[in-house]
Amino acid sequence: MVVAAGAAQLVFGLASNSLISGNQYIQIGGSADGTTIKVGGDQDILGGGIATNTTVDGGTQNVFGVAIQTTVANGGFQHVHNNAFNTIVNAGGEQNVYIDGSATGSTINAGGIQIDWGFTIITTISGGGQYVFGSASLTTINSGLQAVESGGTASDTTIHGGGQDVYLGGTAINTTMDGGVQSVYGGTVVQTTISNGALQYLHGNASMTTVNAGGQQSVYADGTATGTTINAGGVQVDWGAANATIVNGGVRYVYGSATGTTVLSGTQHVQAGGSANDTTIGPGALAFVHAGGTIDDVIFAGPNASLVLAQASAFTGTTSGWQDHDSLDLGDILFSDGLTSMAYAQNNDNTGGTLTVSDGTHVATLHLLGQYSAADFALSSDGHGGTLITDPAVAQQAQLAPALHG
């Protein structure tokens, strides 16, 4: 049936393959299948009505009932006030999901738009854009953009490509990324997992992020990351503030501030201008403080834990937990047999002491917690001109090695 401009079709039973340039009203108990809505045409699905396989080609579909398998393109609109299932939004089309509406299984192709003030579930973005002011769950982004606006929440998004932008007042929870970019502009993201070339750009707040192999978290000056875990092959670059980070085989570079870091394995680099406070170094792990960086309070939490200071003055506060096979490298204290000296002075209450190392020109003063004596420390060359502090057994092994293998 053809419904011309200015004319109307009222559907109480079944209408098939109608061409609408005027109005089609689907009443309670009515259904329409295969309708095409042209420019200037409207399909109104009233409560209790159903429309299936509608093509909105420049016209408008108003959903107060149920719409299934609608295709929207070429300046067409779908306004959802109740339930829409499996809508396809192509170039020039727009799906608007209002506060009283929900859309399930929508596909947003290149040039298509979905604006969500209500509830969207299992949306697939393939080149189009989703703008979330309400709630979006289980979105998959192959390409294109999900923008989480103020008041909006996106949960369980999967990003293969394209991006997710989270703005001030917006929240993204449990995003999984194996590609693409998550950009946080004043918003909040929780429990993001980053891997396989994916990137997180943080100008807001992120908590409980996991960075796996091939992933990178970049924390900018206006960003804060709390509780990040950096696994093997993962990278964190911190120009802002990073708190309670766990380095678990990955690498992190600190140009801003890092507080409460635990390096289980892998490496923390504190770069020029960066500061690290309350760092714990696990067995076989490394904390490296480059020239111009600082570190305050260090715990050695296992054997073979290493702290490297390019400048001994970079270390402030105290160190504790020193044990066999741990090492502390003083890069600017030159090592020379007979010239480089060491002294240890226990404090009055026997809870720690001060280790002083000098090359005759430069002096390093290190404050330790725990019960030690000078016999617990030995000096040797670090192989780069500086001085390596280890326990005496390790130093003796290093001296015997050339003779045993010569």
Side-chain angles (χ1 to χ4, degrees), residues 309-371:
L309 304 173
Q311 297 172 323
S313 60
F315 180 76
T316 58
T318 61
T319 183
S320 61
W322 178 267
Q323 58 188 279
D324 290 352
H325 301 284
D326 288 340
S327 65
L328 201 164
D329 190 335
L330 307 176
D332 61 345
I333 304 297
L334 303 180
F335 181 79
S336 177
D337 282 326
L339 294 178
T340 306
S341 62
M342 175 187 68
Y344 182 77
Q346 188 77 28
N347 61 22
N348 292 332
D349 56 8
N350 202 35
T351 59
T354 301
L355 181 67
T356 304
V357 181
S358 174
D359 62 7
T361 302
H362 309 94
V363 178
T365 302
L366 307 170
H367 301 287
L368 287 81
L369 295 177
Q371 296 181 344

Side-chain angles (χ1 to χ4, degrees), residues 85-334:
F85 298 93
N86 301 325
T87 300
I88 298 172
V89 185
N90 291 325
E94 184 172 315
Q95 181 187 54
N96 294 314
V97 184
Y98 293 92
I99 192 169
D100 53 350
S102 69
T104 302
S106 298
T107 298
I108 317 299
N109 291 321
I113 294 174
Q114 180 192 70
I115 302 177
D116 169 22
W117 292 280
F119 302 91
T120 61
I121 306 168
I122 319 177
T123 302
T124 299
I125 304 174
S126 293
Q130 180 190 54
Y131 299 87
V132 182
F133 297 87
S135 172
S137 300
L138 296 168
T139 302
T140 298
I141 308 173
N142 296 314
S143 59
L145 174 68
Q146 180 188 64
V148 186
E149 308 285 350
S150 180
T153 300
S155 57
D156 301 307
T157 301
T158 299
I159 305 176
H160 300 303
Q164 180 189 64
D165 293 349
V166 185
Y167 293 97
L168 181 65
T171 303
I173 302 170
N174 200 33
T175 302
T176 300
M177 308 173 64
D178 58 18
V181 177
Q182 182 186 64
S183 300
V184 184
Y185 300 108
T188 299
V189 297
V190 181
Q191 290 184 323
T192 300
T193 299
I194 310 169
S195 59
N196 196 37
L199 303 170
Q200 182 187 68
Y201 297 139
L202 189 56
H203 297 273
N205 298 297
S207 60
M208 308 303 290
T209 303
T210 299
V211 187
N212 292 324
Q216 180 171 315
Q217 180 186 59
S218 296
V219 185
Y220 290 91
D222 52 352
T224 301
T226 303
T228 299
T229 298
I230 310 167
N231 290 322
V235 176
Q236 181 193 68
V237 183
D238 168 27
W239 292 278
N243 306 313
T245 303
I246 297 174
V247 182
N248 185 34
V251 180
R252 71 104 64 102
Y253 300 91
V254 181
Y255 297 86
S257 67
T259 302
T261 302
T262 299
V263 188
L264 296 177
S265 59
T267 305
Q268 173 180 262
H269 293 277
V270 183
Q271 306 291 137
S275 64
N277 301 309
D278 300 323
T279 302
T280 299
I281 309 173
L286 170 65
F288 195 125
V289 184
H290 297 263
T294 63
I295 192 166
D296 180 78
D297 292 340
V298 172
I299 298 173
F300 288 89
N304 299 306
S306 299
L307 173 63
V308 177
L309 304 173
Q311 297 172 323
S313 60
F315 180 76
T316 58
T318 61
T319 183
S320 61
W322 178 267
Q323 58 188 279
D324 290 352
H325 301 284
D326 288 340
S327 65
L328 201 164
D329 190 335
L330 307 176
D332 61 345
I333 304 297
L334 303 180

